[in-house]
Amino acid sequence: MLLMEQMLIFSILILVGVYARKKQVINPSNIPALTQLVFNYAMPAMILTGVLGNEPRIGGAQLVHAFAIVLASLACLIILSMMLGRLLNFKKEERGAVTVMTTFTNISMMGIPMVYSLYGHEAMIYITAFLLPYNLLFFSLGYYWMSGGNNGSFFSMDTLRKIMNPGIIACGLALIIYLTGIQIPRIIAEPIKMLGGMTAPLSMLLIGSFLADMNWKQCFSNKKIWLYSLFKMVIIPIIILLIMRPLVDNPIFFGVLLAAVATPAGAGTPLLAQLLNPKAYDVSLQGATLTTLVAIVSMPLVQYLTQLIQF
């Protein structure tokens, strides 16, 4: 199974990241710079790489359909995420963090590299269709939920500044290039492709470095986090994918949806909790850690169960 093989490849890179963190090659002083390298340079380049080739393109109506499916999937994800915190009886101050963890998956550091590795350039336009609303919601509602609604309106100038990040700018440029058919000269396209190729290995190394700092005993003994991981990594993705399956007839697009809803909680969620809601930091760190660990089994499982309904 290709997905299982890809998850094993990522796991090896994550273990290298753990080792690099233990040896202080990756350390607290350079993690912020490496994270910026991924999010501000490598990942935007990978997004642009998807529209620089001459692969078959989807038409305008298909692109509109893709955006509609993405918005519907995000709506389902938000509704189920908001229900989960209450269902599992998390503390009131932790429920916003649970909603953020469940809604905003690690599509940037794991989903994009995985989709690119499995499907190549052709899938990146679907990733772009997902990332545009995803980023808009993360830097508005995500911040609002994490703070427990205490950071004022999510339609603020500060929110707008956060939304205009390199990732969202790359998505906008990718759409323009895709829709207009602009041909980018090779002397520019090749460096972009080479830079984008750094995304997967750097992302996995960073994820490994985050795992190296985890209090494993505390995490593994938390039964609620295990139950949360079951819902977040298996039950919710299957529900959403089965709802969307009759509306999606493209296996590549369906694979992108799988990556979007079944990847672990975002690695940046604990950092956001530390900034906006310290009381939710522990649950955010444990949730992000455990969902990352179980992903190697849960993602192939979700793929298998949803593919029982054949295309």
Side-chain angles (χ1 to χ4, degrees), residues 30-81:
N30 61 29
I31 284 176
L34 290 172
T35 303
Q36 286 191 43
L37 183 61
V38 170
F39 282 101
N40 295 341
Y41 298 93
M43 190 187 73
M46 178 174 277
I47 292 168
L48 289 172
T49 297
V51 298
L52 297 179
N54 296 314
E55 287 79 11
R57 303 196 171 206
I58 61 176
Q62 291 174 292
L63 195 57
V64 171
H65 176 258
F67 271 107
I69 295 298
V70 165
L71 291 174
S73 300
L74 280 170
C76 291
L77 195 54
I78 289 171
I79 291 169
L80 292 171
S81 298

Side-chain angles (χ1 to χ4, degrees), residues 248-265:
V248 179
D249 58 5
N250 184 316
I252 294 178
F253 186 22
F254 196 74
V256 170
L257 285 179
L258 169 66
V261 302
T263 41

Side-chain angles (χ1 to χ4, degrees), residues 232-249:
K232 189 257 174 290
M233 298 300 292
V234 179
I235 296 175
I236 288 179
I238 288 176
I239 290 173
I240 294 174
L241 290 170
L242 291 181
I243 290 172
M244 294 299 133
R245 173 60 192 89
L247 305 175
V248 179
D249 58 5

